[in-house]
Amino acid sequence: MEAIQTFLQSTGFAKVASEPLDLVMILVSCVLLYLAIVKKFEPLLLLPIAFGMLLTNLPGAGMYHAEFFADGHINWAELGTGHGGLLDYLYLGVKLGIYPCLIFIGVGAGTDFAPLIANPKTLLLGAAAQLGIFVTYIGANLLGFTGPESASIGIIGGADGPTAIYTTANLAPHLLGPIAVAAYSYMALVPVIQPPIMKALTTSEERKIKMKQLRPVSKTEKILFPIVVTIFVSFMLPSAAPLVGCLMLGNLMKESGVVERLNKTAQNELMNIVTIFLGISVGATATADNFLNLSTLSILAMGIVAFGMGSAGGVLLAKLMNVFSKEKVNPLIGSAGVSAVPMAARVSQVVGQKEDPSNFLLMHAMGPNVAGVIGSAVAAGVLMSLFGG
């Protein structure tokens, strides 16, 4: 009978009474699983994030210990004695900045920077779309969040999940769960969030502007681009070097044409494996203490503001460019400056074709779209250099 009693006390059913909020978090994880599977909200990452959230909140499972990573430090002594759970060890890849950088290699391997090289001024649109990051940073600061927390919340406006995770893991790891969920949820909602903003800020005539065909880009330009960008950005902002360097390494593997096997591995096997580990480990940080509080709701609210401001920033700069430029830019491509590649560029195409079915903006929108990937990484570097991340 004593053995049976000991067994019953060790079950999750017995332990949930002392930690009832775990049930709430399990319910939240099931909702996110529903959004990933049924609604297809960024399922490649939202599904493992939601399942990681489920695993970390199972009573008594001991798969993740937030105290091992308290105050931004890793308790190597506890981990070294074997007291850590599975998710503790997987989370080291997030905490040490390994997973986001590996994903950026895969992103670079699948990115074509030719539209940006052919029309360099679209780099400005990608930069303008980072407006949401800095406006939200200021807003979060005014609401009482610390500088590092405000920077991590603001980075949601870049619409770049790996960059948001990388920045938050360095600056405010206790906010990693809600920020990751917000970032990937809003990325999935690009076709819903952006069109009303784009239409509100442009006239019908502006949405009908046709842009001339982009010039051909030589292979030499494509090869030199990642090398030059890595050197320039790293000299200017060393803290951005890990993300930008990995992004450009992946792109160089693609454009050089001499390591096709590595290029395919980076785009497929590497990306898929790291995505699983990244999602599960990020979900593991979404414990009841970190997730069920007022700040989480504030993060979700400010995240959508950041995203909307980023989209608006690109559109407004495109309108300003038209005041001084002879070759008109369709302002719709400015909203693609957020780095949700290629979804944001497709939204520019769809909205433009509703005004004029003969207008093709996709390739033009890809310029600011890929510029946004670089821009969000640079913005993350700026924020981390300010707060010592």
Side-chain angles (χ1 to χ4, degrees):
M1 290 298 295
E2 184 178 346
I4 294 175
Q5 186 176 8
T6 302
F7 168 74
L8 292 175
Q9 289 175 347
S10 70
T11 64
F13 293 105
K15 294 183 177 182
V16 76
S18 61
E19 298 181 12
L21 290 179
D22 286 346
L23 289 178
V24 178
M25 289 304 300
I26 290 172
L27 179 61
V28 171
S29 69
C30 289
V31 171
L32 294 178
L33 285 170
Y34 168 81
L35 294 176
I37 297 169
V38 179
K39 298 299 183 180
K40 296 182 173 56
F41 282 9
E42 288 292 326
L44 288 178
L45 254 166
L46 193 56
L47 189 148
I49 286 175
F51 206 82
M53 188 185 297
L54 173 65
L55 293 175
T56 199
N57 288 288
L58 293 173
M63 300 182 76
Y64 175 75
H65 300 82
E67 61 271 21
F68 290 178
F69 305 96
D71 301 321
H73 302 293
I74 301 172
N75 191 334
W76 292 107
E78 287 291 339
L79 290 172
T81 57
H83 293 160
L86 171 64
L87 299 182
D88 290 319
Y89 297 109
L90 289 179
Y91 178 66
L92 289 174
V94 176
K95 182 62 184 170
L96 299 175
I98 297 170
Y99 297 153
C101 289
L102 289 179
I103 282 188
F104 257 52
I105 293 177
V107 171
T111 300
D112 182 5
F113 286 105
L116 174 59
I117 299 170
N119 190 5
K121 66 183 178 183
T122 57
L123 183 64
L124 298 175
L125 300 178
Q130 310 314 311
L131 172 70
I133 294 176
F134 295 101
V135 169
T136 306
Y137 159 73
I138 295 170
N141 223 255
L142 293 174
L143 289 175
F145 287 92
T146 66
E149 289 173 341
S150 301
S152 300
I153 295 168
I155 207 70
I156 297 173
D160 190 330
T163 302
I165 290 169
Y166 183 83
T167 307
T168 307
N170 278 278
L171 298 181
H174 57 288
L175 298 181
L176 190 56
I179 284 177
V181 169
Y184 282 103
S185 297
Y186 296 143
M187 282 172 64
L189 290 172
V190 165
V192 176
I193 297 172
Q194 284 196 324
I197 297 171
M198 297 158 72
K199 291 178 181 178
L201 296 176
T202 57
T203 64
S204 178
E205 290 72 24
E206 287 175 325
R207 294 193 290 272
K208 291 178 181 178
I209 293 174
K210 290 186 177 181
M211 300 174 65
K212 70 176 185 179
Q213 187 174 356
L214 295 173
R215 69 171 179 83
V217 176
S218 69
K219 184 170 182 176
T220 301
E221 290 177 288
K222 291 182 179 181
I223 292 174
L224 288 175
F225 181 81
I227 300 171
V228 172
V229 169
T230 301
I231 295 172
F232 177 76
V233 172
S234 299
F235 270 63
M236 181 181 69
L237 201 62
S239 54
L243 287 176
V244 173
C246 287
L247 177 71
M248 293 304 158
L249 169 61
N251 188 248
L252 184 59
M253 291 193 298
K254 171 183 182 291
E255 301 298 354
S256 67
V258 296
V259 287
E260 192 56 33
R261 191 170 67 182
L262 298 183
N263 178 46
K264 289 181 178 178
T265 298
Q267 289 191 56
N268 298 292
E269 290 84 355
L270 179 65
M271 277 279 282
N272 292 335
I273 292 169
V274 177
T275 295
I276 294 170
F277 290 163
L278 177 68
I280 292 175
S281 350
V282 167
T285 66
T287 58
D289 290 340
N290 288 339
F291 204 89
L292 297 178
N293 50 57
L294 186 60
S295 68
T296 298
L297 296 176
S298 302
I299 288 168
L300 294 173
M302 286 186 287
I304 198 164
V305 171
F307 198 91
M309 290 293 293
S311 302
V315 173
L316 292 174
L317 181 63
K319 289 168 69 75
L320 181 63
M321 289 169 66
N322 283 341
V323 175
F324 302 99
S325 175
K326 293 181 180 179
E327 294 181 4
K328 299 300 181 184
V329 174
N330 190 312
L332 295 178
I333 71 170
S335 65
V338 297
S339 60
V341 180
M343 194 184 304
R346 289 175 182 161
V347 172
S348 299
Q349 165 79 0
V350 169
V351 175
Q353 285 205 318
K354 284 183 179 178
E355 292 292 333
D356 181 356
S358 66
N359 200 359
F360 294 93
L361 297 174
L362 183 60
M363 288 308 297
H364 298 287
M366 284 303 298
N369 207 186
V370 297
V373 180
I374 301 173
S376 63
V378 170
V382 170
L383 294 171
M384 286 191 291
S385 65
L386 288 174
F387 299 105

